[in-house]
């Protein structure tokens, strides 16, 4: 592979890295509207205020993560939809033993802890990239 092709792949990967919680509010809003519910109805179902729902839907996560299981039940979807936008799908993949360990541990986490793990990894990648750029 040429250096130019590798640069293109790296640029693409860099643009694809986004905070896993960034779309949580948007997904909540889309699912709420699809269910025909108001912000107040969702707030009542979760035991939070309507302004909290508005806060979450505008991209400010707050404590939304801890409500993912209740939101999933309310909207009749898998919790994974809030994290990835997709329902889990089995994919054939070859991984190293350490990658397997990480995946196994990740799958044991509840949805809100998965978001935290993803954010931690994202921060690590950003810090690594900055250190590489300074060399």
């Amino acid at each position: 592979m040429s250096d130019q092709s590798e640069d293109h792949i790296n640029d693409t990967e860099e643009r694809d890295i986004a905070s896993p919680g960034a779309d949580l509010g948007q997904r909540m809003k889309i699912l709420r509207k699809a269910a025909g519910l108001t912000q107040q109805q969702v707030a009542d179902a979760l035991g939070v205020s309507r302004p909290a729902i508005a806060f979450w839907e505008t991209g400010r996560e707050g404590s939304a993560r801890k409500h993912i299981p209740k939101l999933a039940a309310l909207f009749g979807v898998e919790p994974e939809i809030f994290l990835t936008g997709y329902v889990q799908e089995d994919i054939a993949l070859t991984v190293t033993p350490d990658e397997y360990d990480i995946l196994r541990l990740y799958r044991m986490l509840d949805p809100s802890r998965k978001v935290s793990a993803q954010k931690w990894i994202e921060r690590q990648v950003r810090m690594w990239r900055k250190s590489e750029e300074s060399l």
Side-chain angles (χ1 to χ4, degrees):
M1 184 180 294
S2 73
D3 288 342
Q4 189 174 15
S5 296
E6 287 177 4
D7 288 344
H8 174 72
I9 290 170
N10 290 337
D11 290 345
T12 303
E13 288 172 355
E14 197 166 307
R15 275 186 261 124
D16 289 344
I17 294 178
S19 174
D23 294 326
L24 177 61
Q26 184 178 4
R27 290 179 183 132
M28 283 178 56
K29 186 175 184 177
I30 290 167
L31 289 167
R32 176 181 60 77
K33 287 185 173 191
L37 299 173
T38 65
Q39 287 181 341
Q40 187 62 56
Q41 289 169 317
V42 173
D44 292 343
L46 298 179
V48 300
S49 68
R50 191 213 50 81
I53 302 300
F55 184 81
W56 300 341
E57 287 185 359
T58 56
R60 297 168 287 180
E61 193 175 319
S63 63
R65 292 181 309 168
K66 74 178 186 181
H67 294 283
I68 289 175
K70 288 181 183 177
L71 285 164
L74 179 65
F75 299 137
V77 297
E78 293 292 324
E80 198 71 24
I81 198 86
F82 291 100
L83 304 174
T84 64
Y86 302 98
V87 176
Q88 184 175 335
E89 180 180 330
D90 291 332
I91 300 171
L93 181 66
T94 303
V95 297
T96 63
D98 60 324
E99 290 170 330
Y100 174 78
D101 289 341
I102 290 169
L103 286 170
R104 185 180 49 77
L105 292 168
Y106 175 82
R107 289 177 178 165
M108 291 179 189
L109 298 173
D110 65 66
S112 67
R113 292 190 189 276
K114 284 181 179 180
V115 170
S116 295
Q118 290 171 349
K119 286 183 177 185
W120 183 84
I121 291 169
E122 179 183 306
R123 283 191 305 273
Q124 297 304 309
V125 168
R126 277 197 217 117
M127 289 184 336
W128 173 75
R129 284 187 174 154
K130 284 182 183 179
S131 70
E132 289 291 309
E133 289 172 5
S134 66
L135 294 179

